[in-house]
Amino acid sequence: MAVDRSDPATPVIFVGGDLAFTTSGPLRDEVDRALAERPPVIVLDFAELLFIDSTGLSVIVHAWREGQQTGTAIRLRSTPRFLDTILDMTGVIGLLDRPPPRRHSGHPGADAVRPAASA
């Protein structure tokens, strides 16, 4: 695993090899470190991923769930075909397509979604 923080607004975490029970802890820790900075987007790059089990998949779900809390979008990049299939079959891809809630500006009502005015 490697991390590119050259753009603080979009850190990229490169995941390679096997993402399984024995190796998912460091990725989860790195995701949590990145989320603590509250960037708009975190990219998980899977170009070098060889295998993923349910524990590895749970780290992706954890990243999404925590990102929803902080207003950080989680984007996957360079996903191998087998990972695309797993994400689709488990419904995780649907979660990732949901935008995170907008960050609150601090003004009451400023971030509320208002219906369009009718004519």
Side-chain angles (χ1 to χ4, degrees):
M1 177 178 48
V3 182
D4 177 358
R5 294 190 193 298
S6 60
D7 179 357
T10 310
V12 179
I13 302 172
F14 297 91
V15 183
D18 293 345
L19 183 54
F21 178 75
T22 57
T23 59
S24 62
L27 175 59
R28 186 180 174 116
D29 293 343
E30 195 57 52
V31 164
D32 289 342
R33 257 190 298 281
L35 285 167
E37 299 296 320
R38 302 177 75 92
V41 177
I42 294 174
V43 175
L44 301 176
D45 186 300
F46 291 102
E48 301 296 320
L49 185 70
L50 301 175
F51 172 81
I52 188 168
D53 73 0
S54 61
T55 310
L57 186 62
S58 74
V59 175
I60 297 171
V61 173
H62 166 78
W64 172 82
R65 184 177 45 244
E66 296 301 314
Q68 291 290 298
Q69 298 296 316
T70 63
T72 299
I74 303 300
R75 300 285 177 248
L76 306 187
R77 181 169 75 188
S78 303
T79 54
R81 183 173 292 172
F82 71 88
L83 180 54
D84 287 335
T85 301
I86 291 168
L87 294 171
D88 185 47
M89 289 176 57
T90 59
V92 173
I93 199 70
L95 293 177
L96 295 171
D97 286 340
R98 295 183 194 171
R102 291 188 295 173
R103 297 172 193 233
H104 192 280
S105 66
H107 301 319
D111 295 320
V113 175
R114 294 185 174 86
S118 58

